[in-house]
Amino acid sequence: MVNHDENCIFCKIIRKEIPSEIVYQDEKVTAFKDLSPIAPVHVLIVPNTHIPSLSESSSEHAELLGEVLLAGAKIARDLKIDQSGYRIVVNNGADAGQTVFHIHFHLLGGRELHFKTQ
Ligand code: AMP
Ligand code: ZN
């Protein structure tokens, strides 16, 4: 079942209530271009159901989070950065600078990446 939060910007993107550049969508996962990219490829991959953060997810989400991660690998292949390399990042909480509280995986690539992502 897909839950959504009326006030969540990513739930609105998933439901196409606000515009975004969606690069992949299926019944469980949506991926769209980051509004402020920090790399030539910067895509956010999210579950269609509203989960605020990694620390607020639980074993019931294990399969879904695996599918989000595998969608990232598929999108990396589609965008042809799988050979050059890429990084997938989840920010959790204040010290990681999480600003949107709908769990999302950053897919970064198209340039050499340093350890820090911001
Ligand atoms: P985080 O710091 O991990 O919470 O990342 C949130 C990301 O969401 C940032 O990289 C923002 O640039 C991105 N972002 C915020 N609003 C939008 C939007 N409407 N469409 C696409 N990306 C967004
Ligand atoms: Zn949401």
Side-chain angles (χ1 to χ4, degrees), residues 35-52:
L35 205 56
S36 306
I38 61 162
V41 173
H42 189 171
V43 170
L44 302 176
I45 311 141
V46 303
N48 293 344
T49 198
H50 183 84
I51 303 168

Side-chain angles (χ1 to χ4, degrees), residues 94-106:
D95 277 359
Q98 184 180 3
T99 56
V100 178
F101 288 84
H102 180 131
I103 192 170
H104 48 282
F105 290 44
H106 294 256

